[in-house]
Amino acid sequence: MAEFDYDLFVIGAGSGGVRASRIAASHGARVAVAEEFRVGGTCVIRGCVPKKLLVYASQFAEELHDTAKLGWTFGEKTFDWAALRDFVASDVDRLERAYTSTLANNKVEHFAARATVTGPNSVALSDGRTITAKYILIAVGAWPVMPAFPGNEHAITSNEVFHLPTLPRRVVVQGAGYIALEFAGIFNALGCEVTVVNRSDKILRGYEEAMTERLLKITAERGIQYRLGHPITGIEKHADGSMTVSLSGADPIEADCVLVATGRKPKTDGLGLETAGITLGANGEVPVDAYNATACPSIYAVGDVTDRVQLTPVAIREGHAFADTVFGGAPRTIAYDHIPSAVFSQPPLAGVGLTEAQARAEGREIKVFTSDFRPMKNMFFARAERGFYKLIVDAASDKVIGVHMIGPDSPEILQAVAIAVKAGLTKADFDATVALHPSMAEELVLMR
């Protein structure tokens, strides 16, 4: 008889956990995974996928305003929030079925229960069962942080925003990270009155400042109001469902919905890792080494729960590398440099590599190239919004060490550019590339 029930027991069936389970099973391991909510994790169920669908839908509202310039005439135009909400929910259901099928097709046993660690090689399920495994992988992800202030029970997070019964007329968004600004853009485009409040006076900390300044200006012109430096101090809900939102150092705001998006925290509360001798980090994260190993030799962790880089593609790569290392006989790590990122704001921005500020902080001698232009697509719109691209070049090697952009389709363009930056191509390589005309992307090879 086998010493353990399974070779691998995964806690959490998000992107990282599902990938690790599938690859470990392909290496011949006996694998089981426990998920207390829905298979697919944050990205599929309550994150980037349903959010991107809302972005697409809200962008269509903008294009409808200028259909006459495109030669189209329509009758009365109306918007049905419930129809959009329910379609998004149905696509989430479809994706969950696909992820569940992936587990089944790879002979991974799925437990629809909460699992907690009870020792180096054992877990307890919420249905009363105890299971043993040679290895345990923690892949439970992260959870939205709700600041403590009176009335915070009346606010929602990004978890609940996809299930609003009606489209609110007035929305207050607390936070200035990518989640906050993406939802602010969605609600604004759908015709809501949107106010963004934040503790600091900056938005999108860590992104290229030239892009964030441009985004702040454009979104303000689109009607989003900002109360930067004035966080929420309390919410009072009235009998009619409306709310008065009190701010630090500013006048109160009337709202119908308050969305708090002030960051995410590893979801490790009550997970029981202390029973295996694992001490959590300051933010509740599971400390791991380059091979995703914890202080307990039989327990590993991948994804947002490690609080390294909270991005779905990173979790997937970590899960794959873990399975190859432990079960595939091919130990390997992943690189965390040159990870492309995007903010699906309206307009979107994207970047890869070092920002100008980061490069200068490292003491590098750099050259900076920019292109400030009006995208052809924007000629149809009443707002004369301009795109902006920026290249950061290492002066000594001529390598392009950072690319940042804001404007239509920036994330789609950035993915290909990230390959060039990852490969270490030079500014001369960019210059030697023939432009694809007419396109926005051609600006990347025309900067002199």
Side-chain angles (χ1 to χ4, degrees), residues 76-327:
E76 182 183 2
K77 296 184 285 288
T78 61
F79 173 70
D80 185 342
W81 164 257
L84 173 60
R85 179 201 62 208
D86 293 347
F87 171 78
V88 170
S90 70
D91 198 57
V92 167
D93 292 342
R94 177 187 65 83
L95 288 170
E96 183 185 17
R97 290 192 297 270
Y99 270 66
T100 303
S101 295
T102 294
L103 293 175
N105 292 340
N106 286 275
K107 297 180 172 55
V108 175
E109 188 163 359
H110 168 217
F111 294 97
R114 174 176 171 79
T116 55
V117 176
T118 55
N121 301 100
S122 63
V123 299
L125 299 183
S126 54
D127 61 12
R129 283 178 287 185
T130 297
I131 294 175
T132 62
K134 184 175 182 180
Y135 294 101
I136 297 171
L137 178 67
I138 308 300
V140 295
W143 204 249
V145 173
M146 177 63 73
F149 55 75
N152 66 357
E153 69 274 13
H154 303 308
I156 64 171
T157 71
S158 56
N159 285 355
E160 298 83 38
V161 71
F162 301 104
H163 309 293
L164 291 173
T166 59
L167 184 68
R169 184 170 63 87
R170 302 164 299 179
V171 181
V172 172
V173 180
Q174 170 147 306
Y178 72 94
I179 296 174
L181 294 183
E182 287 170 348
F183 279 115
I186 290 168
F187 283 122
N188 171 252
L190 292 177
C192 307
E193 297 176 13
V194 179
T195 303
V196 174
V197 303
N198 191 47
R199 184 175 301 278
S200 76
D201 60 356
K202 299 286 186 181
I203 66 170
L204 295 174
R205 185 176 57 191
Y207 287 82
E208 171 59 49
E209 194 168 339
M211 307 302 143
T212 61
E213 289 177 349
R214 180 72 59 103
L215 179 65
L216 184 61
K217 180 176 183 295
I218 290 175
T219 53
E221 290 173 349
R222 289 191 178 203
I224 296 178
Q225 299 184 57
Y226 288 91
R227 299 289 185 271
L228 300 181
H230 304 290
I232 295 174
T233 57
I235 299 174
E236 181 184 0
K237 190 168 186 176
H238 307 298
D240 62 358
S242 66
M243 290 172 272
T244 299
V245 183
S246 299
L247 306 180
S248 173
D251 293 336
I253 305 172
E254 300 302 314
D256 304 299
C257 175
V258 179
L259 169 62
V260 173
T262 54
R264 297 174 62 81
K265 181 179 181 294
K267 198 171 184 288
T268 50
D269 290 346
L271 195 55
L273 290 171
E274 69 280 358
T275 65
I278 297 172
T279 301
L280 300 178
N283 196 39
E285 74 274 15
V286 181
V288 293
D289 65 12
Y291 291 94
N292 303 297
T294 71
C296 177
S298 57
I299 299 181
Y300 290 71
V302 298
D304 292 1
V305 74
T306 68
D307 211 20
R308 287 176 291 188
V309 179
Q310 292 192 6
L311 291 174
T312 295
V314 174
I316 291 172
R317 289 196 170 223
E318 289 173 350
H320 200 135
F322 153 78
D324 285 347
T325 297
V326 176
F327 298 101

Side-chain angles (χ1 to χ4, degrees), residues 8 20-31 106-108 323 327:
L8 173 64
S21 299
R22 178 173 69 82
I23 299 303
S26 74
H27 289 312
R30 298 170 302 137
V31 184
N106 286 275
K107 297 180 172 55
V108 175
F327 298 101

Side-chain angles (χ1 to χ4, degrees), residues 398-414:
D398 196 44
K399 287 184 177 181
V400 178
I401 57 175
V403 178
H404 307 277
M405 55 181 66
I406 182 172
D409 300 322
S410 288
E412 303 294 339
I413 297 168
L414 194 279

